[in-house]
Amino acid sequence: FSTIGMLVYSFGSPALFFVTLKRARHKLYTDEKTHEMLGFIYDRYEPEWYFWESLELVRRLILIAVVVFADSGSIRQLAVT
């Protein structure tokens, strides 16, 4: 159950962010209520790159997973980081 939970949380959060932003993309920069609810996800990016935080979360997940599953103390682990 823990493995399933980790996978759902790890990939579900970025997917949820992406789907939510994609559905609301037409009002992200015009509607104040939408900005209050979702602004923390896309506020740092230009309007055409509103989804970038979702990709950034996946990138961080991959970096952490590679470091954790590489041989501890090996040169491979050092090269990945």
Side-chain angles (χ1 to χ4, degrees):
F1 287 115
S2 63
T3 303
I4 294 170
M6 287 186 336
L7 290 173
V8 167
Y9 181 76
S10 299
F11 293 107
S13 295
L16 179 65
F17 284 172
F18 181 78
V19 169
T20 304
L21 291 174
K22 186 82 167 163
R23 287 184 177 171
R25 70 183 175 271
H26 61 281
K27 58 183 177 179
L28 291 178
Y29 293 94
T30 57
D31 186 30
E32 186 63 34
K33 186 173 182 178
T34 304
H35 188 269
E36 287 176 11
M37 288 176 30
L38 301 172
F40 71 97
I41 303 172
Y42 69 87
D43 210 22
R44 296 180 293 166
Y45 304 105
E46 298 292 325
E48 62 269 7
W49 298 104
Y50 66 90
F51 59 88
W52 196 253
E53 187 67 25
S54 302
L55 297 176
E56 186 65 21
L57 287 172
V58 172
R59 182 188 71 86
R60 291 178 194 164
L61 171 72
I62 291 170
L63 282 173
I64 291 169
V66 168
V67 169
V68 167
F69 292 115
D71 297 331
S72 181
S74 70
I75 209 73
R76 187 178 322 144
Q77 187 180 33
L78 181 63
V80 169
T81 59

